[in-house]
Amino acid sequence: KAKLQPGQKILIHGAAGGVGSLAVQFAKLKGAHVIGTASGSNEALVRSLGADEFIDYRATRFENAVQDADVVFDTIGGDTQERSWKVLKKGGVLVSIVQPPSEKMAAENGMRGIFMRENAQRTDELTEIASLVAEGQIKVNVETILPLREARQAQELSQAGHVRGKIVLRVGN
C-alpha cells in the first residue's frame, strides 16, 4: 500500500507480533532499511527476521531514535500512531491496520495516511505469499496452537497483545 522501494526506511511497530513479524520480512525482501519496535525480550527474534535496527519501546521513545522515515507501519494505534507522524519525512506514508490515520495530520505535514483493511480475496497475492513461505524466504512464527473449541481464549490472547507470532486454531483431532 505504501509502495515501499529498495533503500527506503520503514519503521514497523509491533515487529514481533503476528502481522509485524511478517511486515519486517516483506519489507526486507523489498530491500528496505527496516526498524522494528517491540519489547526488549523480542530483540533477537526481530533481528533474525531481518530488522536492521531495533527499538525496545519500553526503554526508548521511538520518536527520539528515528527520523526521516519513508514509511511507518502501525499495528498498535492510539498514542503510538499519533507519535508516529513525528518520525516521517515530508511525503512519507503512515499505514495502519488498526485505525484510520488522521487526515488532518497528514495534510498539515505533507504526508499520507492509509488505513489498510485487507480481505483474503486476492488469490494472486496469497499464492505469492504461500510460495515465499514454502521456499523458506518468509518464516511464520506460531506462538500457540489451540483446538477450535478454544477460539474464545485465542481471541482473548490476541486482544491482550504481546503475542509473539500467530495463534493457530486447529480444526479436528
Side-chain angles (χ1 to χ4, degrees):
K1 297 292 182 183
K3 310 274 192 263
L4 187 65
Q5 299 296 312
Q8 287 188 318
K9 185 190 307 184
I10 182 170
L11 173 64
I12 299 173
H13 292 301
V19 175
S21 63
L22 293 173
V24 167
Q25 295 174 81
F26 289 136
K28 201 62 194 170
L29 277 176
K30 285 275 194 181
H33 179 86
V34 179
I35 306 165
T37 69
S39 64
S41 62
N42 291 308
E43 181 173 2
L45 169 66
V46 173
R47 287 190 183 276
S48 77
L49 297 171
D52 299 291
E53 297 179 49
F54 176 82
I55 298 170
D56 176 351
Y57 74 89
R58 291 180 176 156
T60 304
R61 290 184 65 86
F62 66 85
E63 65 270 32
N64 294 334
V66 178
Q67 57 187 355
D68 295 325
D70 297 285
V71 178
V72 172
F73 185 65
D74 171 34
T75 67
I76 309 295
D79 180 58
T80 298
Q81 184 182 96
E82 289 307 308
R83 292 172 23 231
S84 292
W85 293 107
K86 297 175 185 175
V87 307
L88 282 168
K89 68 182 185 183
K90 196 161 196 76
V93 182
L94 192 155
V95 178
S96 177
I97 62 167
V98 291
Q99 71 185 61
S102 166
E103 291 178 23
K104 180 180 181 225
M105 287 294 291
E108 287 176 358
N109 294 290
M111 301 167 187
R112 290 186 303 133
I114 299 170
F115 183 43
M116 192 170 113
R117 300 203 66 159
E118 288 294 318
N119 57 30
Q121 295 180 10
R122 296 281 319 261
T123 56
D124 56 329
E125 289 177 350
L126 292 174
T127 301
E128 182 180 352
I129 291 168
S131 294
L132 291 170
V133 172
E135 294 166 5
Q137 292 186 59
I138 297 291
K139 300 176 210 140
V140 179
N141 183 34
V142 176
E143 165 85 10
T144 189
I145 301 172
L146 298 170
L148 183 59
R149 69 180 176 277
E150 294 181 28
R152 180 182 181 140
Q153 179 186 354
Q155 182 64 30
E156 289 169 355
L157 282 171
S158 177
Q159 289 184 337
H162 307 287
V163 174
R164 253 178 103 162
K166 295 290 190 182
I167 299 169
V168 175
L169 291 175
R170 183 179 60 242
V171 178
N173 305 352

